Amino acid sequence: MSLELESVTLGYPDGERRRIILDGMDLAVAGGELVAVTGPSGSGKSTLLAVAGTLTPPESGRVVVGGVDAGSLRGGAAARLRRERVGFVFQQANLLGSLTARDQLLLAAHIGGRRVRAADRARAEELLGRVGLAGKEGRRPHQLSGGERQRVGVARALMSRPAVLLVDEPTSALDRERGADVMALLAEVVREQGVAGVVVTHDLENASVADRVVALRDGRLTSPVRSAR
Amino acid sequence: MFIALRDLRFARGRFALLGTVVALLTLMVVMLSGLTAGLGAAGVSALQRLPADHLAFQRPTGQSPTFTGSSLPAGAAAKAGAVPGVESARPLGTGAAKLAWAAGGERHGSRSESVSVFGAGPGSDLAPRPTADGRIQINRTFADDTGLRVGQRVALGGRTVTVDAIEDTGSFAHLPVVFTSLTTWQQVTRAQQPTVLALRLASPAAAARVDAAAGTRTLTLAKSYGAVDGYSAEQTSLNLMRGLLLIVSALVVGAYFTVWTVQRAHDLAVVRAMGASRGYLLRDALAQAVVVLVVGGAAGTAVAFGAGSLAARAAPYQVSAGTVLLPFALMTVVGLVGSMVTVRRVASVDPLTALGAAR
């Protein structure tokens, strides 16, 4: 499995009480598989992504990302793992305003501390072409539509050839048609690139493109709402 | 520098504004440095040229000796010269007088200027050339400005003397220095005794022995600049202004980069979530500050160099590496210190805030 979460528990202080967000949760996603996690707002969907993406260490349990036990990684080691094995697609794309579409991808190559090479440029062009943005490589975020920005976000997440793709509410800022396009694109690239994909969304209709759809309730993932298509 | 350079291009108007502010502040610091050095030289450059390492003053009744208040005890030069460790002890008279001469040209008349008068004894090497009674050596710049020439007869303090030579005599108390003999100096200034002893000591320890033997207070040549009336106050004021400008620079640059960092905190969180280390973001942020400071500072320095070169023709202003490049380097360092206030903010960006639920 490219992504495994075993008995993961995480809580936050909530006044004088402690609120459990993830309660011994299990999730395993294979390369090339897209799992949609649904649930109401505040159910812990983004927290699940944070734990899977090494942004937040779990209190207990095991997190394996691309074959690396990531549960105990902190600081620089966690950042390195994210850089090399995790791709994030954020809500509203979260692109950097000063960077062109091409540079958004090249940044993913540059933050590893090495010079951007011709091979990086070629991969950036290839990925932007793959997500339907050929000819728009030089445009900045304000020159792109919402759907195009999210497509750049998808291409950026794939730039470092990650083992795991974590997608946070990718359609929340898009209309239904564009949202469906982005979800379909995600399902395609996950299979093509062989990455383990987890997409959190509250939109069951958009989630239907995933191989599995699970719901997060009371800190645990329920049995599949719908299993493999 | 990946993000830094692209930010600079993208937000060029905003960074141009900061660069202009840095340029103006650098312009002021460099100009003020040139003026400080120029005024300092106008105050003491004649002392800097003396072939001496210490000056002995009349022991003052107050805290510090001054040139205007010093009149050496009789026989001080002979007593000091006999002290072991003293290589040479030559009396020097300092004072001010009016130099007047008949002006030629279309409009005949007389002209006068204030000058500092230095008196050096016969055989003394304190003056550029050996001095002689009734003859003076005038400052080259002063000669250029006034048209005075060798052989011209002038009135110095009411006494007629002849211009004997034109030399680089320097300035003292903001007046061009005229060298003459000790005797003529006494006649012109109506002083009884020389003002100071110009000493060359084998070791600084000999200074105390000179003071004990001759009843003087000996200062190093550099410290004796403070004995020129107004020199210390003038330099302190100008340096205080320079210091305040540097502090303002640090605050301006620090405030700008703080606001800038706060505005792009979410972008930084996204980059951290993508796997960038804290060091990567810090290097990028500091590189951005360096570019703005160096480009803005270089522009300000270039303008100040041009303006200073013009100013030096008409005012006590000095253009040198110390008054141009050093303030530029200082501004860059101070600006960087100011921008360091953002380091903590950049380093403490939480990548978790890039995720929707945490915003």
Side-chain angles (χ1 to χ4, degrees), chain A residues 46 50 55-56 79 82-83 88 90-91 94-99 103 106-108 110-111 116 140 142 156 168, chain B residues 1-3 6-7 9-10 266-267 270-278 280 350-352 354-357 359:
Chain A
S46 292
L55 295 177
T56 302
R82 284 200 299 277
R83 205 157 61 223
F88 273 108
F90 304 97
Q91 270 186 28
N94 280 354
L95 303 179
L96 275 68
S98 62
L99 270 56
D103 285 341
L106 295 179
L107 173 63
H110 190 263
I111 57 177
V116 173
R140 292 199 169 88
H142 70 275
R156 178 177 67 180
D168 184 20
Chain B
M1 294 267 290
F2 191 92
I3 304 171
R6 285 157 181 83
D7 278 349
R9 272 202 296 268
F10 183 65
H266 188 68
D267 282 356
V270 168
V271 182
R272 284 276 287 137
M274 288 168 62
S277 64
R278 286 191 175 90
Y280 180 88
D350 185 356
L352 192 57
L355 287 178
R359 271 186 283 166

Side-chain angles (χ1 to χ4, degrees), chain A residues 3-114:
Chain A
L3 175 66
E4 290 179 78
L5 281 74
E6 286 178 17
S7 305
V8 168
T9 299
L10 181 66
Y12 295 122
D14 184 12
E16 293 181 358
R17 295 186 308 126
R18 182 160 188 76
R19 183 172 169 232
I20 301 297
I21 307 295
L22 304 177
D23 187 10
M25 194 203 70
D26 297 311
L27 175 66
V29 186
E33 181 186 20
L34 180 64
V35 175
V37 180
T38 63
S41 293
S43 60
K45 299 191 298 294
S46 292
T47 303
L48 165 62
L49 290 187
V51 172
T54 74
L55 295 177
T56 302
E59 287 169 7
S60 64
R62 191 159 169 265
V63 178
V64 179
V65 178
V68 176
D69 189 344
S72 59
L73 296 181
R74 302 284 186 277
R80 182 171 182 166
L81 184 78
R82 284 200 299 277
R83 205 157 61 223
E84 294 175 351
R85 294 173 193 252
V86 179
F88 273 108
V89 179
F90 304 97
Q91 270 186 28
Q92 300 169 18
N94 280 354
L95 303 179
L96 275 68
S98 62
L99 270 56
T100 62
R102 184 189 297 107
D103 285 341
Q104 308 280 349
L105 275 66
L106 295 179
L107 173 63
H110 190 263
I111 57 177
R114 61 176 174 79

Side-chain angles (χ1 to χ4, degrees), chain A residues 2 21 23 37 40 56 72 98 101 105 108 113 160 167 182 190 208 214-215 221:
Chain A
S2 290
I21 307 295
D23 187 10
V37 180
T56 302
S72 59
S98 62
L105 275 66
S160 60
V167 188
V182 168
V190 161
S208 64
V214 292
L221 291 175

